[in-house]
Amino acid sequence: MWSEQLDLELRREAMSWLAVRTNDGADSLTTDELKEFRFRGAPIPLMDLQRGIRKPAVLEAALSFRTVYRPEGTDRPYNDDVGADGLIRYKYRGTDPGHPENRGLRVAMERKLPLIWFFGVGPGAYLPTFPVFIVGEEPPWHQFVVDAVSAGALEVEGAVEETLKRYITVETKRRLHQPIFRATVLRAYETRCAVCSLRHSQLLDAAHIVPDRDDAGIAAVRNGLALCKIHHAALDSGILGVRPDYVVEIRADLLAEVDGPMLRYGLQERHRQKLMVVPASRRERPDPDLLGLAYEHFRTAG
């Protein structure tokens, strides 16, 4: 077994490497890309492709765990979710608390070691969240308690307890949802802006077609568009709309303006042009009904 010092060095190196490769945790990586990690010149798998929990034979504690990708409408084999305290519940491997993989997570909990959580955002694509910590165990429900966003450290008592707990839970779900939604949408659009085809991850966002605060604003790829920051801002401010047939429209007053090249080439010349990029999978393409709701708002507001 490796020493605790060497274990910590591996974790630091792995998370530093992931930070560089994922734009500080904003971008997903494919399973092939994850194989490129080296520690002291030797390949060390960061994720187990056959199991949910990765515990290298040379370590006593687990290094990572993963939540597999499932398309919208299908269930995952394990129902990982946010609890009433705002913390993630991650299910055991099976139901035996003594299983070696479960023991590996327990050792990480006891030693307060940082782990990596790989969340599936597409076939063979994972968004790493790090560092996360196992902060508790709930044997009756065969699960561990995971602090992924440091929302559960707050202890509350008294009359405001339930209200504050609900707030923490909502905030936790939002903070976890946003990077996962972005990574899933960008993967579907092959990291390209739907309107102009710009392909630079740092300049791209995942925009909701119908805002997630609305009842129809589902957290699914079909309610998303990969957009560069200019076109995302244009969409949110009502300058740009997308019809249900995937045709872009620019607000009438902007078409009459005379300004620099960004206005001309980035907005005016995209008027009544088809989206340049849509997902290859039909089930991941923008939902025409959701586009219709957003387009009606664009049309009447303009």
Side-chain angles (χ1 to χ4, degrees), residues 22-43:
T22 65
N23 187 24
D24 286 330
D27 299 333
S28 62
L29 291 174
T30 67
T31 52
D32 285 342
E33 289 171 329
L34 286 169
K35 293 176 184 177
E36 296 172 11
F37 174 70
R38 298 289 186 274
F39 179 65
R40 294 191 171 188

Side-chain angles (χ1 to χ4, degrees), residues 29-263:
L29 291 174
T30 67
T31 52
D32 285 342
E33 289 171 329
L34 286 169
K35 293 176 184 177
E36 296 172 11
F37 174 70
R38 298 289 186 274
F39 179 65
R40 294 191 171 188
I44 297 286
L46 296 179
M47 183 179 69
D48 195 319
L49 296 179
Q50 304 302 319
R51 301 175 179 86
I53 301 166
R54 166 69 173 146
K55 193 202 81 64
V58 294
L59 301 183
E60 290 187 69
L63 175 63
S64 71
F65 54 95
R66 69 183 175 118
T67 298
V68 299
Y69 170 73
R70 286 291 183 270
E72 183 187 359
T74 62
D75 294 328
R76 291 186 172 86
Y78 297 99
N79 186 26
D80 306 324
D81 204 357
V82 177
D85 53 6
L87 299 180
I88 298 296
R89 267 48 181 187
Y90 187 81
K91 293 296 184 182
Y92 283 177
R93 167 71 186 273
T95 58
D96 178 10
H99 188 284
E101 294 171 29
N102 297 329
R103 288 204 308 268
L105 286 179
R106 191 173 299 113
V107 172
M109 175 184 69
E110 292 167 350
R111 296 182 180 175
K112 298 180 171 58
L113 292 172
L115 296 100
I116 305 160
W117 178 25
F118 291 101
F119 193 98
V121 296
Y126 288 85
L127 178 71
T129 298
F130 55 91
V132 302
F133 295 87
I134 306 295
V135 296
E137 184 175 359
E138 297 172 336
W141 297 279
H142 308 119
Q143 61 194 15
F144 290 97
V145 183
V146 183
D147 187 350
V149 289
S150 298
L154 181 63
E155 295 182 2
V156 292
E157 297 180 356
V160 298
E161 181 176 0
E162 289 306 315
T163 300
L164 192 50
K165 279 186 177 180
R166 285 195 297 272
Y167 171 78
I168 290 172
T169 302
V170 169
E171 285 301 302
T172 300
K173 288 183 176 180
R174 181 179 294 117
R175 292 169 68 186
L176 290 173
H177 158 74
Q178 289 172 345
I180 290 170
F181 180 72
R182 179 185 184 275
T184 305
V185 170
L186 263 60
R187 185 270 309 160
Y189 283 80
E190 299 182 344
T191 319
R192 294 162 64 192
C193 174
V195 173
C196 67
S197 196
L198 179 71
R199 189 168 190 168
H200 284 276
S201 172
Q202 297 89 333
L203 300 177
L204 297 179
D205 295 330
H208 287 84
I209 295 170
V210 175
D212 56 359
R213 63 179 178 271
D214 292 356
D215 291 340
I218 56 174
V221 180
R222 57 191 177 90
N223 187 38
L225 291 166
L227 296 176
C228 69
K229 294 186 181 297
I230 289 291
H231 290 131
H232 188 182
L235 181 78
D236 286 351
S237 62
I239 289 173
L240 179 150
V242 182
R243 298 187 336 214
D245 59 358
Y246 299 172
V247 170
V248 174
E249 288 194 1
I250 303 299
R251 201 174 67 203
D253 61 307
L254 267 290
L255 295 174
E257 282 190 19
V258 177
D259 200 353
M262 176 54 71
L263 176 65

